[in-house]
Amino acid sequence: MLEKIFGLSIAGTTVRTEIMAGVSTFLTMAYITVVNPAILSSEGTGMSFGAVFTATIIAAVIGTLIMGLWANWPVALAPGMGLNAFFTFGVIFGMGYSYQQALAAVFLAGIVFLILSLTPARKYLINSIPPSMKYGIGAGIGLFLAIIGFKNAGIVVDNPATLVGLGDLSSASALLASLGFIVMAVLDKRNVKGAVIFGILIVSVLAWLLGVSELSAVVSLPPSPEHAFSLDFSLIATSGFIGVAFAFLFVDFLDTAGTLTSVANLTGRVDADGTVKGIDKALLADSSATIIGALSGTSNTTSYIESGAGIKDGGRTGLTAVTVAGLFALCLFFAPLAQSIPGFATAPALVFVATYFLRNLKDINWDDVSDYAPAVLAAVMMPLTYSIAYGVAIGFIAYVVIKALSGRTEDLNAGSVLIALLSVLYFIAT
């Protein structure tokens, strides 16, 4: 049965290899079951940790099953890092949206993504985004995650004179968070699977033993997904809402394009002419997962680059993804444990994941200022404005203007110009 569904022999793999690959992928991304609820349930959002915890797992399980059973790709999905931060700090806190309105914008982005995935437009849009802008936006998301992590750990605080300043490094939260980051980096360097989740658990256990935080319970029935189907489209006719949905769509699209093309290269799914085999089903699976996630009560669900851990261990088919989905489902019964993990334990995970995003900087074209200046501008503006959308918009406006005035109009395409124009309209509307 498994041979018929996944084509294991054709892919040159076995059931055991696929299952072990799924375990590797799960361990590298299990942190999202704690980090995503922690971000979305930040004080003031109106969302509860337990409900987001359940929604996170529902989105991860269903999205990953679609990717595995239908697309037959060894890729796992879950609510995306960066997108969840934009959802909370950019849309709810920054623009004053309710979480119901933010979920509606995510849902709309998923619908548009699904439509694009059914048409040739998806390939055109992927190819129309300049490489340097892709890398700059990726790095900017990393910087955005980093400043959120440092803030949650109490290492970076607000300062009326300099905007930001150094917090109390002798505090328990700062010391434990710093230890967590070191643990994650050392374990990762030693090729320990699940370095991030182990780092979170080590800091949490120390906090519980020292009395800095309290462990309430470990196992219980899954919390109710009380935010499910709570979409509010009351602002759908406003340009601001369209701008938010576009930002969700654009970042999700970039993330998915980068992840799936990387996975395709690793698994031999790229033909000699550069065509990615089976990309249509993978894109449809990813866009469907965002819709399911919004309905469940969480931010954009996207393909995870951490899937590379399982691929590195030999995962080649959807059986790897199905294994990951099964392990995520088991997490539903550990909500009390997840909720007992203090914020400063997940803070180093944000910073550590940020270091991975920042690797994008090395691939920017540093020989052409009209390439690297807009890319760096996009990256820097994200943490400084506390908004991914602002960074993307400012970066693309700068890209088009600098290219045009530099006489490099041959580098521009309709897609880039359209994004820049939409960005201008976005600023006018907001």
Side-chain angles (χ1 to χ4, degrees), residues 58-368:
I58 290 174
V61 170
I62 297 178
T64 304
L65 283 176
I66 295 174
M67 183 67 79
L69 293 173
W70 188 61
N72 197 22
W73 278 54
V75 175
L77 295 91
M81 293 294 294
L83 286 160
N84 51 12
F86 174 56
F87 181 97
T88 300
F89 300 100
V91 180
I92 296 179
F93 292 157
M95 301 181 68
Y97 280 43
S98 67
Y99 76 81
Q100 295 93 336
Q101 293 165 339
L103 287 174
V106 173
F107 180 81
L108 178 60
I111 293 294
V112 175
F113 194 1
L114 181 64
I115 294 171
L116 289 174
S117 298
L118 291 169
T119 69
R122 71 188 188 279
K123 184 176 181 180
Y124 171 75
L125 285 175
I126 290 175
N127 292 331
S128 68
I129 300 169
S132 288
M133 289 304 296
K134 290 180 183 177
Y135 301 137
I137 290 167
I141 291 173
L143 291 170
F144 187 39
L145 290 174
I147 196 168
I148 293 171
F150 285 128
K151 177 179 177 293
N152 290 348
I155 294 175
V156 170
V157 297
D158 63 317
N159 186 305
T162 60
L163 293 183
V164 293
L166 191 64
D168 181 8
L169 295 183
S170 64
S171 67
S173 61
L175 290 173
L176 288 170
S178 300
L179 173 64
F181 181 83
I182 294 171
V183 168
M184 292 172 193
V186 171
L187 291 180
D188 187 71
K189 177 62 179 177
R190 292 181 173 274
N191 296 316
V192 175
K193 303 298 182 185
V196 175
I197 192 66
F198 286 144
I200 292 174
L201 291 175
I202 288 171
V203 171
S204 300
V205 170
L206 287 174
W208 297 331
L209 293 175
L210 295 173
V212 179
S213 184
E214 183 179 346
L215 173 62
S216 57
V218 177
V219 180
S220 73
L221 291 175
S224 170
E226 60 189 85
H227 306 315
F229 302 103
S230 57
L231 311 183
D232 179 0
F233 290 96
S234 59
L235 299 179
I236 194 170
T238 65
S239 55
F241 183 90
I242 300 301
V244 169
F246 172 75
F248 279 131
L249 170 66
F250 185 73
V251 177
D252 193 2
F253 197 84
L254 276 179
D255 192 20
T256 298
T259 298
L260 293 182
T261 51
S262 297
V263 169
N265 284 318
L266 290 171
T267 56
R269 296 171 185 262
V270 182
D271 292 335
D273 60 355
T275 302
V276 179
K277 294 178 287 187
I279 189 69
D280 297 348
K281 285 188 174 182
L283 284 168
L284 283 169
D286 190 284
S287 54
S288 299
T290 287
I291 296 172
I292 292 166
L295 292 174
S296 301
T298 186
S299 52
N300 299 61
T301 303
T302 187
S303 301
Y304 260 59
I305 194 62
E306 283 89 342
S307 300
I311 293 169
K312 182 180 178 182
D313 286 349
R316 292 295 180 270
T317 75
L319 182 54
T320 295
V322 171
T323 302
V324 177
L327 293 171
F328 267 120
L330 291 176
C331 292
L332 273 173
F333 301 95
F334 293 91
L337 175 63
Q339 197 159 2
S340 297
I341 292 175
F344 56 78
T346 58
L350 295 176
V351 180
F352 186 71
V353 172
T355 63
Y356 182 85
F357 277 88
L358 285 168
R359 298 195 306 178
N360 286 284
L361 289 172
K362 67 180 177 61
D363 295 317
I364 293 176
N365 178 16
W366 294 104
D367 295 324
D368 187 344

